[in-house]
PDB file of all heavy atoms in Angstrom:
ATOM      1  N   GLU A   1      93.569  17.725   5.468  1.00  0.00           N
ATOM      2  CA  GLU A   1      92.757  16.762   6.194  1.00  0.00           C
ATOM      3  C   GLU A   1      91.283  17.135   6.272  1.00  0.00           C
ATOM      4  O   GLU A   1      90.438  16.270   6.465  1.00  0.00           O
ATOM      5  CB  GLU A   1      93.317  16.554   7.604  1.00  0.00           C
ATOM      6  CG  GLU A   1      94.709  15.929   7.572  1.00  0.00           C
ATOM      7  CD  GLU A   1      95.268  15.662   8.958  1.00  0.00           C
ATOM      8  OE1 GLU A   1      94.477  15.528   9.915  1.00  0.00           O
ATOM      9  OE2 GLU A   1      96.501  15.586   9.073  1.00  0.00           O
ATOM     10  N   TYR A   2      90.972  18.413   6.140  1.00  0.00           N
ATOM     11  CA  TYR A   2      89.595  18.854   6.289  1.00  0.00           C
ATOM     12  C   TYR A   2      89.020  19.504   5.037  1.00  0.00           C
ATOM     13  O   TYR A   2      87.875  19.913   5.023  1.00  0.00           O
ATOM     14  CB  TYR A   2      89.465  19.799   7.491  1.00  0.00           C
ATOM     15  CG  TYR A   2      89.757  19.088   8.785  1.00  0.00           C
ATOM     16  CD1 TYR A   2      91.035  19.111   9.340  1.00  0.00           C
ATOM     17  CD2 TYR A   2      88.769  18.356   9.428  1.00  0.00           C
ATOM     18  CE1 TYR A   2      91.317  18.436  10.522  1.00  0.00           C
ATOM     19  CE2 TYR A   2      89.038  17.676  10.605  1.00  0.00           C
ATOM     20  CZ  TYR A   2      90.308  17.722  11.141  1.00  0.00           C
ATOM     21  OH  TYR A   2      90.578  17.051  12.306  1.00  0.00           O
ATOM     22  N   GLY A   3      89.825  19.625   3.994  1.00  0.00           N
ATOM     23  CA  GLY A   3      89.333  20.120   2.723  1.00  0.00           C
ATOM     24  C   GLY A   3      89.016  21.600   2.667  1.00  0.00           C
ATOM     25  O   GLY A   3      88.287  22.042   1.781  1.00  0.00           O
ATOM     26  N   VAL A   4      89.564  22.373   3.581  1.00  0.00           N
ATOM     27  CA  VAL A   4      89.342  23.820   3.534  1.00  0.00           C
ATOM     28  C   VAL A   4      90.117  24.383   2.350  1.00  0.00           C
ATOM     29  O   VAL A   4      91.277  24.026   2.125  1.00  0.00           O
ATOM     30  CB  VAL A   4      89.791  24.485   4.849  1.00  0.00           C
ATOM     31  CG1 VAL A   4      89.676  25.996   4.768  1.00  0.00           C
ATOM     32  CG2 VAL A   4      88.980  23.948   6.024  1.00  0.00           C
ATOM     33  N   SER A   5      89.486  25.242   1.594  1.00  0.00           N
ATOM     34  CA  SER A   5      90.143  25.840   0.436  1.00  0.00           C
ATOM     35  C   SER A   5      91.279  26.754   0.889  1.00  0.00           C
ATOM     36  O   SER A   5      91.084  27.615   1.753  1.00  0.00           O
ATOM     37  CB  SER A   5      89.131  26.652  -0.373  1.00  0.00           C
ATOM     38  OG  SER A   5      89.788  27.386  -1.377  1.00  0.00           O
ATOM     39  N   PRO A   6      92.461  26.606   0.304  1.00  0.00           N
ATOM     40  CA  PRO A   6      93.584  27.450   0.705  1.00  0.00           C
ATOM     41  C   PRO A   6      93.364  28.935   0.444  1.00  0.00           C
ATOM     42  O   PRO A   6      93.989  29.775   1.099  1.00  0.00           O
ATOM     43  CB  PRO A   6      94.762  26.922  -0.101  1.00  0.00           C
ATOM     44  CG  PRO A   6      94.223  25.968  -1.079  1.00  0.00           C
ATOM     45  CD  PRO A   6      92.831  25.615  -0.685  1.00  0.00           C
ATOM     46  N   VAL A   7      92.488  29.279  -0.475  1.00  0.00           N
ATOM     47  CA  VAL A   7      92.241  30.701  -0.726  1.00  0.00           C
ATOM     48  C   VAL A   7      91.457  31.347   0.412  1.00  0.00           C
ATOM     49  O   VAL A   7      91.348  32.565   0.473  1.00  0.00           O
ATOM     50  CB  VAL A   7      91.518  30.931  -2.074  1.00  0.00           C
ATOM     51  CG1 VAL A   7      92.353  30.412  -3.232  1.00  0.00           C
ATOM     52  CG2 VAL A   7      90.151  30.301  -2.078  1.00  0.00           C
ATOM     53  N   ARG A   8      90.937  30.517   1.330  1.00  0.00           N
ATOM     54  CA  ARG A   8      90.167  31.053   2.455  1.00  0.00           C
ATOM     55  C   ARG A   8      90.995  31.155   3.730  1.00  0.00           C
ATOM     56  O   ARG A   8      90.462  31.470   4.786  1.00  0.00           O
ATOM     57  CB  ARG A   8      88.944  30.177   2.689  1.00  0.00           C
ATOM     58  CG  ARG A   8      88.065  30.169   1.430  1.00  0.00           C
ATOM     59  CD  ARG A   8      86.742  29.637   1.643  1.00  0.00           C
ATOM     60  NE  ARG A   8      85.993  30.481   2.560  1.00  0.00           N
ATOM     61  CZ  ARG A   8      84.782  30.192   2.983  1.00  0.00           C
ATOM     62  NH1 ARG A   8      84.196  29.103   2.575  1.00  0.00           N
ATOM     63  NH2 ARG A   8      84.153  30.976   3.819  1.00  0.00           N
ATOM     64  N   LEU A   9      92.298  30.892   3.648  1.00  0.00           N
ATOM     65  CA  LEU A   9      93.141  30.884   4.828  1.00  0.00           C
ATOM     66  C   LEU A   9      94.242  31.930   4.737  1.00  0.00           C
ATOM     67  O   LEU A   9      94.764  32.202   3.664  1.00  0.00           O
ATOM     68  CB  LEU A   9      93.804  29.510   5.003  1.00  0.00           C
ATOM     69  CG  LEU A   9      92.875  28.325   5.228  1.00  0.00           C
ATOM     70  CD1 LEU A   9      93.663  27.036   5.217  1.00  0.00           C
ATOM     71  CD2 LEU A   9      92.131  28.489   6.544  1.00  0.00           C
ATOM     72  N   ILE A  10      94.585  32.466   5.886  1.00  0.00           N
ATOM     73  CA  ILE A  10      95.748  33.340   6.015  1.00  0.00           C
ATOM     74  C   ILE A  10      96.515  32.841   7.232  1.00  0.00           C
ATOM     75  O   ILE A  10      95.971  32.778   8.327  1.00  0.00           O
ATOM     76  CB  ILE A  10      95.347  34.814   6.229  1.00  0.00           C
ATOM     77  CG1 ILE A  10      94.550  35.326   5.034  1.00  0.00           C
ATOM     78  CG2 ILE A  10      96.582  35.669   6.498  1.00  0.00           C
ATOM     79  CD1 ILE A  10      93.944  36.698   5.261  1.00  0.00           C
ATOM     80  N   ALA A  11      97.755  32.462   7.042  1.00  0.00           N
ATOM     81  CA  ALA A  11      98.591  32.017   8.150  1.00  0.00           C
ATOM     82  C   ALA A  11      99.565  33.140   8.496  1.00  0.00           C
ATOM     83  O   ALA A  11     100.213  33.699   7.614  1.00  0.00           O
ATOM     84  CB  ALA A  11      99.355  30.753   7.760  1.00  0.00           C
ATOM     85  N   SER A  12      99.637  33.466   9.772  1.00  0.00           N
ATOM     86  CA  SER A  12     100.574  34.509  10.177  1.00  0.00           C
ATOM     87  C   SER A  12     101.130  34.184  11.546  1.00  0.00           C
ATOM     88  O   SER A  12     100.540  33.424  12.310  1.00  0.00           O
ATOM     89  CB  SER A  12      99.893  35.885  10.187  1.00  0.00           C
ATOM     90  OG  SER A  12      98.875  35.921  11.160  1.00  0.00           O
ATOM     91  N   GLY A  13     102.270  34.752  11.850  1.00  0.00           N
ATOM     92  CA  GLY A  13     102.914  34.546  13.139  1.00  0.00           C
ATOM     93  C   GLY A  13     103.182  35.877  13.804  1.00  0.00           C
ATOM     94  O   GLY A  13     103.408  36.877  13.142  1.00  0.00           O
ATOM     95  N   ARG A  14     103.156  35.862  15.131  1.00  0.00           N
ATOM     96  CA  ARG A  14     103.375  37.097  15.885  1.00  0.00           C
ATOM     97  C   ARG A  14     104.618  37.060  16.757  1.00  0.00           C
ATOM     98  O   ARG A  14     104.885  38.009  17.480  1.00  0.00           O
ATOM     99  CB  ARG A  14     102.156  37.386  16.752  1.00  0.00           C
ATOM    100  CG  ARG A  14     100.952  37.738  15.938  1.00  0.00           C
ATOM    101  CD  ARG A  14      99.850  38.125  16.849  1.00  0.00           C
ATOM    102  NE  ARG A  14      98.771  38.742  16.107  1.00  0.00           N
ATOM    103  CZ  ARG A  14      97.620  39.069  16.650  1.00  0.00           C
ATOM    104  NH1 ARG A  14      97.397  38.830  17.923  1.00  0.00           N
ATOM    105  NH2 ARG A  14      96.684  39.630  15.929  1.00  0.00           N
ATOM    106  N   SER A  15     105.326  35.938  16.735  1.00  0.00           N
ATOM    107  CA  SER A  15     106.541  35.804  17.540  1.00  0.00           C
ATOM    108  C   SER A  15     106.215  36.043  19.006  1.00  0.00           C
ATOM    109  O   SER A  15     105.245  35.524  19.516  1.00  0.00           O
ATOM    110  CB  SER A  15     107.602  36.762  17.028  1.00  0.00           C
ATOM    111  OG  SER A  15     108.807  36.603  17.725  1.00  0.00           O
ATOM    112  N   TYR A  16     107.006  36.826  19.679  1.00  0.00           N
ATOM    113  CA  TYR A  16     106.774  37.114  21.092  1.00  0.00           C
ATOM    114  C   TYR A  16     106.131  38.482  21.292  1.00  0.00           C
ATOM    115  O   TYR A  16     106.081  39.005  22.401  1.00  0.00           O
ATOM    116  CB  TYR A  16     108.089  37.027  21.893  1.00  0.00           C
ATOM    117  CG  TYR A  16     109.219  37.846  21.315  1.00  0.00           C
ATOM    118  CD1 TYR A  16     109.271  39.213  21.491  1.00  0.00           C
ATOM    119  CD2 TYR A  16     110.217  37.229  20.589  1.00  0.00           C
ATOM    120  CE1 TYR A  16     110.296  39.958  20.946  1.00  0.00           C
ATOM    121  CE2 TYR A  16     111.257  37.958  20.053  1.00  0.00           C
ATOM    122  CZ  TYR A  16     111.294  39.332  20.239  1.00  0.00           C
ATOM    123  OH  TYR A  16     112.318  40.066  19.694  1.00  0.00           O
ATOM    124  N   TYR A  17     105.584  39.077  20.230  1.00  0.00           N
ATOM    125  CA  TYR A  17     105.074  40.439  20.304  1.00  0.00           C
ATOM    126  C   TYR A  17     103.678  40.569  20.895  1.00  0.00           C
ATOM    127  O   TYR A  17     103.301  41.656  21.298  1.00  0.00           O
ATOM    128  CB  TYR A  17     105.127  41.098  18.918  1.00  0.00           C
ATOM    129  CG  TYR A  17     106.538  41.245  18.433  1.00  0.00           C
ATOM    130  CD1 TYR A  17     107.028  40.446  17.414  1.00  0.00           C
ATOM    131  CD2 TYR A  17     107.391  42.155  19.033  1.00  0.00           C
ATOM    132  CE1 TYR A  17     108.337  40.570  16.986  1.00  0.00           C
ATOM    133  CE2 TYR A  17     108.704  42.286  18.613  1.00  0.00           C
ATOM    134  CZ  TYR A  17     109.160  41.489  17.587  1.00  0.00           C
ATOM    135  OH  TYR A  17     110.455  41.610  17.182  1.00  0.00           O
ATOM    136  N   VAL A  18     102.906  39.482  20.955  1.00  0.00           N
ATOM    137  CA  VAL A  18     101.558  39.552  21.523  1.00  0.00           C
ATOM    138  C   VAL A  18     101.375  38.388  22.501  1.00  0.00           C
ATOM    139  O   VAL A  18     100.609  37.464  22.263  1.00  0.00           O
ATOM    140  CB  VAL A  18     100.479  39.515  20.406  1.00  0.00           C
ATOM    141  CG1 VAL A  18      99.099  39.746  20.994  1.00  0.00           C
ATOM    142  CG2 VAL A  18     100.768  40.567  19.344  1.00  0.00           C
ATOM    143  N   PRO A  19     102.084  38.420  23.625  1.00  0.00           N
ATOM    144  CA  PRO A  19     101.970  37.316  24.571  1.00  0.00           C
ATOM    145  C   PRO A  19     100.643  37.363  25.331  1.00  0.00           C
ATOM    146  O   PRO A  19     100.062  38.437  25.508  1.00  0.00           O
ATOM    147  CB  PRO A  19     103.139  37.557  25.518  1.00  0.00           C
ATOM    148  CG  PRO A  19     103.354  39.032  25.490  1.00  0.00           C
ATOM    149  CD  PRO A  19     103.017  39.448  24.072  1.00  0.00           C
ATOM    150  N   VAL A  20     100.181  36.205  25.777  1.00  0.00           N
ATOM    151  CA  VAL A  20      98.989  36.140  26.636  1.00  0.00           C
ATOM    152  C   VAL A  20      99.405  35.899  28.088  1.00  0.00           C
ATOM    153  O   VAL A  20      98.582  35.985  28.984  1.00  0.00           O
ATOM    154  CB  VAL A  20      97.997  35.056  26.183  1.00  0.00           C
ATOM    155  CG1 VAL A  20      97.409  35.403  24.826  1.00  0.00           C
ATOM    156  CG2 VAL A  20      98.630  33.680  26.172  1.00  0.00           C
ATOM    157  N   ALA A  21     100.667  35.586  28.293  1.00  0.00           N
ATOM    158  CA  ALA A  21     101.199  35.346  29.627  1.00  0.00           C
ATOM    159  C   ALA A  21     102.653  35.808  29.658  1.00  0.00           C
ATOM    160  O   ALA A  21     103.257  36.074  28.621  1.00  0.00           O
ATOM    161  CB  ALA A  21     101.103  33.861  29.970  1.00  0.00           C
ATOM    162  N   SER A  22     103.199  35.873  30.848  1.00  0.00           N
ATOM    163  CA  SER A  22     104.593  36.271  31.008  1.00  0.00           C
ATOM    164  C   SER A  22     105.525  35.196  30.443  1.00  0.00           C
ATOM    165  O   SER A  22     105.276  33.998  30.595  1.00  0.00           O
ATOM    166  CB  SER A  22     104.906  36.472  32.492  1.00  0.00           C
ATOM    167  OG  SER A  22     106.298  36.628  32.682  1.00  0.00           O
ATOM    168  N   ASN A  23     106.574  35.619  29.806  1.00  0.00           N
ATOM    169  CA  ASN A  23     107.576  34.684  29.305  1.00  0.00           C
ATOM    170  C   ASN A  23     108.650  34.388  30.352  1.00  0.00           C
ATOM    171  O   ASN A  23     109.650  33.742  30.052  1.00  0.00           O
ATOM    172  CB  ASN A  23     108.212  35.231  28.027  1.00  0.00           C
ATOM    173  CG  ASN A  23     107.333  35.012  26.824  1.00  0.00           C
ATOM    174  OD1 ASN A  23     106.830  33.923  26.615  1.00  0.00           O
ATOM    175  ND2 ASN A  23     107.137  36.058  26.049  1.00  0.00           N
ATOM    176  N   GLU A  24     108.432  34.833  31.573  1.00  0.00           N
ATOM    177  CA  GLU A  24     109.402  34.642  32.643  1.00  0.00           C
ATOM    178  C   GLU A  24     109.341  33.248  33.264  1.00  0.00           C
ATOM    179  O   GLU A  24     110.259  32.851  33.975  1.00  0.00           O
ATOM    180  CB  GLU A  24     109.196  35.702  33.737  1.00  0.00           C
ATOM    181  CG  GLU A  24     109.374  37.126  33.239  1.00  0.00           C
ATOM    182  CD  GLU A  24     110.774  37.393  32.704  1.00  0.00           C
ATOM    183  OE1 GLU A  24     111.747  36.961  33.347  1.00  0.00           O
ATOM    184  OE2 GLU A  24     110.880  38.032  31.637  1.00  0.00           O
ATOM    185  N   THR A  25     108.244  32.512  33.027  1.00  0.00           N
ATOM    186  CA  THR A  25     108.098  31.179  33.620  1.00  0.00           C
ATOM    187  C   THR A  25     107.850  30.146  32.521  1.00  0.00           C
ATOM    188  O   THR A  25     107.349  30.487  31.444  1.00  0.00           O
ATOM    189  CB  THR A  25     106.902  31.135  34.597  1.00  0.00           C
ATOM    190  OG1 THR A  25     105.692  31.329  33.857  1.00  0.00           O
ATOM    191  CG2 THR A  25     107.022  32.203  35.670  1.00  0.00           C
ATOM    192  N   PRO A  26     108.172  28.891  32.780  1.00  0.00           N
ATOM    193  CA  PRO A  26     107.876  27.840  31.793  1.00  0.00           C
ATOM    194  C   PRO A  26     106.381  27.742  31.485  1.00  0.00           C
ATOM    195  O   PRO A  26     105.996  27.525  30.340  1.00  0.00           O
ATOM    196  CB  PRO A  26     108.386  26.559  32.452  1.00  0.00           C
ATOM    197  CG  PRO A  26     109.403  27.005  33.441  1.00  0.00           C
ATOM    198  CD  PRO A  26     108.938  28.358  33.917  1.00  0.00           C
ATOM    199  N   GLU A  27     105.538  27.944  32.504  1.00  0.00           N
ATOM    200  CA  GLU A  27     104.090  27.880  32.294  1.00  0.00           C
ATOM    201  C   GLU A  27     103.622  29.005  31.372  1.00  0.00           C
ATOM    202  O   GLU A  27     102.789  28.796  30.489  1.00  0.00           O
ATOM    203  CB  GLU A  27     103.346  27.956  33.637  1.00  0.00           C
ATOM    204  CG  GLU A  27     103.583  26.772  34.541  1.00  0.00           C
ATOM    205  CD  GLU A  27     104.899  26.865  35.336  1.00  0.00           C
ATOM    206  OE1 GLU A  27     105.550  27.939  35.357  1.00  0.00           O
ATOM    207  OE2 GLU A  27     105.274  25.832  35.917  1.00  0.00           O
ATOM    208  N   GLY A  28     104.151  30.193  31.589  1.00  0.00           N
ATOM    209  CA  GLY A  28     103.785  31.324  30.737  1.00  0.00           C
ATOM    210  C   GLY A  28     104.249  31.123  29.310  1.00  0.00           C
ATOM    211  O   GLY A  28     103.512  31.402  28.359  1.00  0.00           O
ATOM    212  N   ARG A  29     105.462  30.630  29.139  1.00  0.00           N
ATOM    213  CA  ARG A  29     105.964  30.368  27.787  1.00  0.00           C
ATOM    214  C   ARG A  29     105.121  29.305  27.097  1.00  0.00           C
ATOM    215  O   ARG A  29     104.842  29.407  25.904  1.00  0.00           O
ATOM    216  CB  ARG A  29     107.443  29.973  27.837  1.00  0.00           C
ATOM    217  CG  ARG A  29     108.356  31.157  28.157  1.00  0.00           C
ATOM    218  CD  ARG A  29     109.817  30.821  27.986  1.00  0.00           C
ATOM    219  NE  ARG A  29     110.297  29.817  28.917  1.00  0.00           N
ATOM    220  CZ  ARG A  29     110.715  30.052  30.149  1.00  0.00           C
ATOM    221  NH1 ARG A  29     110.724  31.286  30.617  1.00  0.00           N
ATOM    222  NH2 ARG A  29     111.154  29.062  30.912  1.00  0.00           N
ATOM    223  N   ALA A  30     104.674  28.290  27.853  1.00  0.00           N
ATOM    224  CA  ALA A  30     103.816  27.248  27.274  1.00  0.00           C
ATOM    225  C   ALA A  30     102.493  27.853  26.804  1.00  0.00           C
ATOM    226  O   ALA A  30     101.985  27.502  25.737  1.00  0.00           O
ATOM    227  CB  ALA A  30     103.566  26.138  28.286  1.00  0.00           C
ATOM    228  N   GLN A  31     101.938  28.770  27.586  1.00  0.00           N
ATOM    229  CA  GLN A  31     100.690  29.428  27.171  1.00  0.00           C
ATOM    230  C   GLN A  31     100.889  30.262  25.918  1.00  0.00           C
ATOM    231  O   GLN A  31      99.986  30.381  25.087  1.00  0.00           O
ATOM    232  CB  GLN A  31     100.159  30.323  28.290  1.00  0.00           C
ATOM    233  CG  GLN A  31      99.530  29.572  29.416  1.00  0.00           C
ATOM    234  CD  GLN A  31      98.986  30.524  30.460  1.00  0.00           C
ATOM    235  OE1 GLN A  31      99.665  31.469  30.876  1.00  0.00           O
ATOM    236  NE2 GLN A  31      97.763  30.284  30.877  1.00  0.00           N
ATOM    237  N   ASN A  32     102.055  30.834  25.767  1.00  0.00           N
ATOM    238  CA  ASN A  32     102.321  31.675  24.603  1.00  0.00           C
ATOM    239  C   ASN A  32     102.589  30.872  23.334  1.00  0.00           C
ATOM    240  O   ASN A  32     102.548  31.427  22.241  1.00  0.00           O
ATOM    241  CB  ASN A  32     103.482  32.632  24.896  1.00  0.00           C
ATOM    242  CG  ASN A  32     103.069  33.706  25.860  1.00  0.00           C
ATOM    243  OD1 ASN A  32     101.914  34.116  25.882  1.00  0.00           O
ATOM    244  ND2 ASN A  32     103.995  34.153  26.675  1.00  0.00           N
ATOM    245  N   ARG A  33     102.874  29.578  23.471  1.00  0.00           N
ATOM    246  CA  ARG A  33     103.027  28.722  22.292  1.00  0.00           C
ATOM    247  C   ARG A  33     101.636  28.224  21.915  1.00  0.00           C
ATOM    248  O   ARG A  33     101.247  27.107  22.213  1.00  0.00           O
ATOM    249  CB  ARG A  33     103.958  27.549  22.604  1.00  0.00           C
ATOM    250  CG  ARG A  33     105.401  27.938  22.696  1.00  0.00           C
ATOM    251  CD  ARG A  33     106.319  26.739  22.798  1.00  0.00           C
ATOM    252  NE  ARG A  33     106.092  25.940  23.993  1.00  0.00           N
ATOM    253  CZ  ARG A  33     106.684  26.134  25.163  1.00  0.00           C
ATOM    254  NH1 ARG A  33     107.544  27.116  25.311  1.00  0.00           N
ATOM    255  NH2 ARG A  33     106.420  25.347  26.182  1.00  0.00           N
ATOM    256  N   ARG A  34     100.888  29.051  21.256  1.00  0.00           N
ATOM    257  CA  ARG A  34      99.501  28.746  20.942  1.00  0.00           C
ATOM    258  C   ARG A  34      99.237  29.037  19.479  1.00  0.00           C
ATOM    259  O   ARG A  34     100.001  29.741  18.823  1.00  0.00           O
ATOM    260  CB  ARG A  34      98.565  29.597  21.798  1.00  0.00           C
ATOM    261  CG  ARG A  34      98.631  31.072  21.401  1.00  0.00           C
ATOM    262  CD  ARG A  34      97.990  31.986  22.406  1.00  0.00           C
ATOM    263  NE  ARG A  34      97.942  33.359  21.953  1.00  0.00           N
ATOM    264  CZ  ARG A  34      98.956  34.200  21.978  1.00  0.00           C
ATOM    265  NH1 ARG A  34     100.137  33.825  22.409  1.00  0.00           N
ATOM    266  NH2 ARG A  34      98.812  35.434  21.549  1.00  0.00           N
ATOM    267  N   THR A  35      98.159  28.483  19.003  1.00  0.00           N
ATOM    268  CA  THR A  35      97.666  28.810  17.675  1.00  0.00           C
ATOM    269  C   THR A  35      96.250  29.322  17.845  1.00  0.00           C
ATOM    270  O   THR A  35      95.433  28.693  18.509  1.00  0.00           O
ATOM    271  CB  THR A  35      97.666  27.564  16.768  1.00  0.00           C
ATOM    272  OG1 THR A  35      99.003  27.065  16.689  1.00  0.00           O
ATOM    273  CG2 THR A  35      97.162  27.898  15.388  1.00  0.00           C
ATOM    274  N   GLU A  36      95.967  30.468  17.301  1.00  0.00           N
ATOM    275  CA  GLU A  36      94.621  31.028  17.346  1.00  0.00           C
ATOM    276  C   GLU A  36      94.012  30.914  15.964  1.00  0.00           C
ATOM    277  O   GLU A  36      94.666  31.228  14.969  1.00  0.00           O
ATOM    278  CB  GLU A  36      94.663  32.493  17.776  1.00  0.00           C
ATOM    279  CG  GLU A  36      95.159  32.693  19.183  1.00  0.00           C
ATOM    280  CD  GLU A  36      95.220  34.161  19.578  1.00  0.00           C
ATOM    281  OE1 GLU A  36      94.836  35.041  18.767  1.00  0.00           O
ATOM    282  OE2 GLU A  36      95.653  34.426  20.705  1.00  0.00           O
ATOM    283  N   ILE A  37      92.781  30.466  15.912  1.00  0.00           N
ATOM    284  CA  ILE A  37      92.049  30.387  14.653  1.00  0.00           C
ATOM    285  C   ILE A  37      90.910  31.388  14.745  1.00  0.00           C
ATOM    286  O   ILE A  37      90.072  31.303  15.641  1.00  0.00           O
ATOM    287  CB  ILE A  37      91.528  28.964  14.400  1.00  0.00           C
ATOM    288  CG1 ILE A  37      92.710  27.995  14.302  1.00  0.00           C
ATOM    289  CG2 ILE A  37      90.666  28.930  13.138  1.00  0.00           C
ATOM    290  CD1 ILE A  37      92.317  26.548  14.194  1.00  0.00           C
ATOM    291  N   ILE A  38      90.921  32.335  13.834  1.00  0.00           N
ATOM    292  CA  ILE A  38      89.907  33.387  13.816  1.00  0.00           C
ATOM    293  C   ILE A  38      89.010  33.153  12.615  1.00  0.00           C
ATOM    294  O   ILE A  38      89.481  33.111  11.476  1.00  0.00           O
ATOM    295  CB  ILE A  38      90.570  34.780  13.740  1.00  0.00           C
ATOM    296  CG1 ILE A  38      91.507  34.964  14.944  1.00  0.00           C
ATOM    297  CG2 ILE A  38      89.513  35.872  13.669  1.00  0.00           C
ATOM    298  CD1 ILE A  38      92.428  36.145  14.835  1.00  0.00           C
ATOM    299  N   LEU A  39      87.728  32.971  12.875  1.00  0.00           N
ATOM    300  CA  LEU A  39      86.761  32.735  11.804  1.00  0.00           C
ATOM    301  C   LEU A  39      86.078  34.046  11.451  1.00  0.00           C
ATOM    302  O   LEU A  39      85.576  34.750  12.327  1.00  0.00           O
ATOM    303  CB  LEU A  39      85.720  31.706  12.251  1.00  0.00           C
ATOM    304  CG  LEU A  39      86.263  30.366  12.726  1.00  0.00           C
ATOM    305  CD1 LEU A  39      85.125  29.499  13.233  1.00  0.00           C
ATOM    306  CD2 LEU A  39      87.017  29.670  11.617  1.00  0.00           C
ATOM    307  N   GLU A  40      86.063  34.353  10.184  1.00  0.00           N
ATOM    308  CA  GLU A  40      85.385  35.543   9.704  1.00  0.00           C
ATOM    309  C   GLU A  40      84.403  35.134   8.624  1.00  0.00           C
ATOM    310  O   GLU A  40      84.801  34.560   7.612  1.00  0.00           O
ATOM    311  CB  GLU A  40      86.382  36.550   9.141  1.00  0.00           C
ATOM    312  CG  GLU A  40      87.316  37.112  10.177  1.00  0.00           C
ATOM    313  CD  GLU A  40      88.242  38.176   9.607  1.00  0.00           C
ATOM    314  OE1 GLU A  40      88.005  38.639   8.472  1.00  0.00           O
ATOM    315  OE2 GLU A  40      89.201  38.524  10.290  1.00  0.00           O
ATOM    316  N   PRO A  41      83.141  35.421   8.826  1.00  0.00           N
ATOM    317  CA  PRO A  41      82.173  35.023   7.799  1.00  0.00           C
ATOM    318  C   PRO A  41      82.283  35.914   6.564  1.00  0.00           C
ATOM    319  O   PRO A  41      82.773  37.040   6.632  1.00  0.00           O
ATOM    320  CB  PRO A  41      80.825  35.246   8.493  1.00  0.00           C
ATOM    321  CG  PRO A  41      81.098  36.321   9.492  1.00  0.00           C
ATOM    322  CD  PRO A  41      82.517  36.105   9.943  1.00  0.00           C
ATOM    323  N   LYS A  42      81.837  35.367   5.449  1.00  0.00           N
ATOM    324  CA  LYS A  42      81.662  36.191   4.254  1.00  0.00           C
ATOM    325  C   LYS A  42      80.301  36.855   4.429  1.00  0.00           C
ATOM    326  O   LYS A  42      79.260  36.198   4.383  1.00  0.00           O
ATOM    327  CB  LYS A  42      81.687  35.337   2.993  1.00  0.00           C
ATOM    328  CG  LYS A  42      83.049  34.824   2.643  1.00  0.00           C
ATOM    329  CD  LYS A  42      83.012  34.155   1.297  1.00  0.00           C
ATOM    330  CE  LYS A  42      84.396  33.831   0.811  1.00  0.00           C
ATOM    331  NZ  LYS A  42      84.361  33.307  -0.558  1.00  0.00           N
ATOM    332  N   TYR A  43      80.307  38.136   4.671  1.00  0.00           N
ATOM    333  CA  TYR A  43      79.086  38.819   5.064  1.00  0.00           C
ATOM    334  C   TYR A  43      77.999  38.787   3.990  1.00  0.00           C
ATOM    335  O   TYR A  43      76.822  38.690   4.302  1.00  0.00           O
ATOM    336  CB  TYR A  43      79.391  40.243   5.511  1.00  0.00           C
ATOM    337  CG  TYR A  43      80.134  40.256   6.817  1.00  0.00           C
ATOM    338  CD1 TYR A  43      81.488  40.534   6.853  1.00  0.00           C
ATOM    339  CD2 TYR A  43      79.485  39.931   7.994  1.00  0.00           C
ATOM    340  CE1 TYR A  43      82.179  40.513   8.048  1.00  0.00           C
ATOM    341  CE2 TYR A  43      80.166  39.904   9.195  1.00  0.00           C
ATOM    342  CZ  TYR A  43      81.508  40.198   9.223  1.00  0.00           C
ATOM    343  OH  TYR A  43      82.189  40.157  10.404  1.00  0.00           O
ATOM    344  N   ASP A  44      78.386  38.823   2.714  1.00  0.00           N
ATOM    345  CA  ASP A  44      77.374  38.772   1.669  1.00  0.00           C
ATOM    346  C   ASP A  44      76.658  37.420   1.677  1.00  0.00           C
ATOM    347  O   ASP A  44      75.435  37.345   1.542  1.00  0.00           O
ATOM    348  CB  ASP A  44      77.967  39.078   0.292  1.00  0.00           C
ATOM    349  CG  ASP A  44      79.114  38.142  -0.090  1.00  0.00           C
ATOM    350  OD1 ASP A  44      79.750  37.555   0.803  1.00  0.00           O
ATOM    351  OD2 ASP A  44      79.365  38.018  -1.298  1.00  0.00           O
TER     352      ASP A  44
END
């Protein structure tokens, strides 16, 4: 949809190993179902 070149992307999953909230509550589990997009410039 946005024309980003696939060679510039890395998709990875962390499962439940890096939570941002407790998985003991529905609210915490909802917070942990997230997608993070990390932008890294090409320094050159």
